[in-house]
Every structure is written in C-alpha cells, then in structure tokens.
C-alpha cells in the first residue's frame, strides 16, 4: 500500500471512529456533497476565477464553494483545478475567523478537519496525474509535502521533496527545501521551520483570465 493510501486509511479510520460513519470523499466544508455545479462554460469559468480570488484573499472555505461549482469547466482537464481544490481543503483546516474578539477555527470539528485533509490528498494525486511539465509535477509534490509535514509526517514529507527534485532537477525551490529539511530532521532541536504552513494556489492560465 502506498504512503498516501496508508494515510488515507488512517484518516478514514479516525473519521469513522469519531463519527460512526464513513464520509464521502467528495464531502466539503459544511458537511454537504458537491451541489450546484454550473453547466454554462462561461459562467463556470467566471466562478472558477472567483474561487481563485477568494483563496488568494485567505477565504478558503468560500473559495471551495466557488471551485466546486466550476467543476464542469475544469475538473479532469486542468491540473491547476485539482491542485487548487487540494490547497483549499488543506488550508481550510488552518483557516480562522474572529468570534467575540477571539480567533477560532473555521472547521467546526476535528472530524471535518480530517475529512478535508483526506480530500486534499486525493485531489493532489489527481493534480499530479494531470500535470505534464516537470515544473508542474514538482509544484504539486512540494505542496503535498507541505501538507504532510505540517500534519506531523516529517519523513514522508522529505520523500515527496526528493520526488519533486527528481521530477524537476532544475527546481531551485525543491533543491533548497530538500537540503534545509534534511538538516531540520537531523537537528530538530535547533532547526527552524522549513516552508510556509499554507499552500498557495496555482495561478490561472493566461487564456483563463478575464
């Protein structure tokens, strides 16, 4: 069984044990399955770009609703779409809002956070399968490494950085993160964090912009 398969099984067990049910892998924030998918290509494209804007502003759960509605436009075609869904799901596990002057997580429960992380890994795998250019595959792998590292799977994250470096040997980012993170694992008491905790969205193609 692959690493992601093992992690998916672990996360799924955690959800089932906590909730007494197996959540649909396409469940999104709010607990509902994908709804309201737009059929008109122009409208779906507009919604897709709106989702990217919301994500760039840090409104990850709101961005996911827009991206989900744009599935008819981009799903299964653009690696960036699946990458951005993965980034949104992962980032939503860290998203905060203010309530009575205190920061609270937007995800309503640990169950929802685990489900979103599981979905993020699945969407990241889809993005990797669609990415063809070396720099695209490297970007996807580095993002998945960030997700795993910040969920405590340090050595698995390092393995993904190694794969990213192999996918695009010219990537300065992959080389730098590999060297820095390897040092961090060898000297955890003194090393600082490697990489940002959040995953940035992939930009739209020039042809996708208004």
């Amino acid at each position: 069984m692959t690493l992601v398969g093992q992690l998916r099984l672990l996360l799924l067990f955690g959800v089932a044990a906590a909730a007494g049910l197996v959540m649909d892998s396409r469940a999104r924030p709010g607990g509902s399955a994908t709804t309201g998918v737009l059929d008109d290509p122009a409208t779906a494209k507009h919604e897709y770009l709106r989702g990217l804007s919301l994500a760039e502003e840090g409104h990850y759960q709101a961005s996911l609703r827009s991206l989900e509605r744009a599935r008819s436009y981009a799903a299964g075609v653009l690696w960036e779409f699946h990458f951005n869904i993965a980034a949104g799901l992962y980032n939503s596990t860290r998203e905060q809002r203010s309530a009575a002057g205190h920061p609270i997580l937007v995800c309503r429960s640990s169950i929802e956070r685990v489900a979103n992380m599981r979905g993020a890994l699945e969407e990241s795998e889809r993005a990797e399968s669609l990415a063809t250019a070396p720099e695209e595959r490297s970007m996807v792998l580095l993002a998945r490494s960030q997700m795993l590292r910040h969920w405590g799977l340090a050595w698995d994250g390092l393995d993904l950085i190694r794969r990213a470096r192999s996918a695009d040997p010219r990537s300065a980012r992959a080389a730098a993160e590999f060297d820095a993170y390897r040092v961090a694992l060898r000297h955890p008491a003194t090393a600082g964090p490697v990489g940002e905790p959040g995953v940035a969205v992939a930009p739209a193609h020039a042809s996708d912009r208004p």
Side-chain angles (χ1 to χ4, degrees), residues 85-87 89-90 115-125 147:
I85 288 282
L89 285 167
Y90 166 73
N116 284 7
M117 181 60 176
R118 177 172 172 255
L121 295 176
E122 292 175 346
E123 291 289 351
S124 176
E125 287 182 333
M147 297 176 190

Side-chain angles (χ1 to χ4, degrees), residues 17-36:
L21 52 87
V22 176
M23 298 183 69
D24 189 300
S25 65
R26 296 180 68 186
R28 298 300 180 221
S32 61
T34 304
T35 59

Side-chain angles (χ1 to χ4, degrees), residues 168-178:
D168 184 12
R170 297 179 301 176
S171 172
R173 177 189 168 191
E177 287 199 17
F178 180 80

Side-chain angles (χ1 to χ4, degrees), residues 3-182:
L3 158 67
V4 173
Q6 293 173 349
L7 180 58
R8 184 182 300 124
L9 182 61
L10 176 62
L11 295 177
L12 180 59
F13 176 79
V15 172
L21 52 87
V22 176
M23 298 183 69
D24 189 300
S25 65
R26 296 180 68 186
R28 298 300 180 221
S32 61
T34 304
T35 59
V37 175
L38 300 169
D39 295 324
D40 177 64
T43 305
K45 174 181 175 179
H46 175 77
E47 194 70 11
Y48 174 66
L49 295 175
R50 180 173 180 268
L52 294 186
S53 296
L54 287 167
E56 289 169 352
E57 294 168 3
H59 305 301
Y60 302 113
Q61 288 210 8
S63 77
L64 284 169
R65 288 189 285 271
S66 289
L67 292 176
E68 287 288 5
R69 297 186 72 206
R71 272 192 177 270
S72 62
Y73 165 69
V77 179
L78 297 179
W79 71 269
E80 295 98 327
F81 173 82
H82 296 283
F83 179 92
N84 290 332
I85 288 282
L89 285 167
Y90 166 73
N91 289 331
S92 73
T93 67
R94 305 173 48 258
E95 185 177 357
Q96 295 183 345
R97 63 181 175 85
S98 179
H102 300 285
I104 62 171
L105 289 172
V106 172
C107 278
R108 298 168 297 180
S109 66
S110 296
I111 296 172
E112 189 172 311
R113 292 185 73 228
V114 168
N116 284 7
M117 181 60 176
R118 177 172 172 255
L121 295 176
E122 292 175 346
E123 291 289 351
S124 176
E125 287 182 333
R126 294 188 185 103
E128 182 186 356
S129 71
L130 291 168
T132 56
E135 62 271 18
E136 295 171 352
R137 292 179 60 84
S138 180
M139 180 178 177
V140 173
L141 290 166
L142 286 174
R144 197 185 309 151
S145 171
Q146 282 180 263
M147 297 176 190
L148 294 179
R149 283 182 279 152
H150 289 283
W151 271 60
L153 299 173
W155 289 101
D156 300 315
L158 180 64
D159 182 63
L160 285 171
I161 300 175
R162 183 182 292 110
R163 286 180 56 196
R165 192 176 62 167
S166 297
D168 184 12
R170 297 179 301 176
S171 172
R173 177 189 168 191
E177 287 199 17
F178 180 80
D179 291 339
Y181 202 60
R182 187 169 54 176

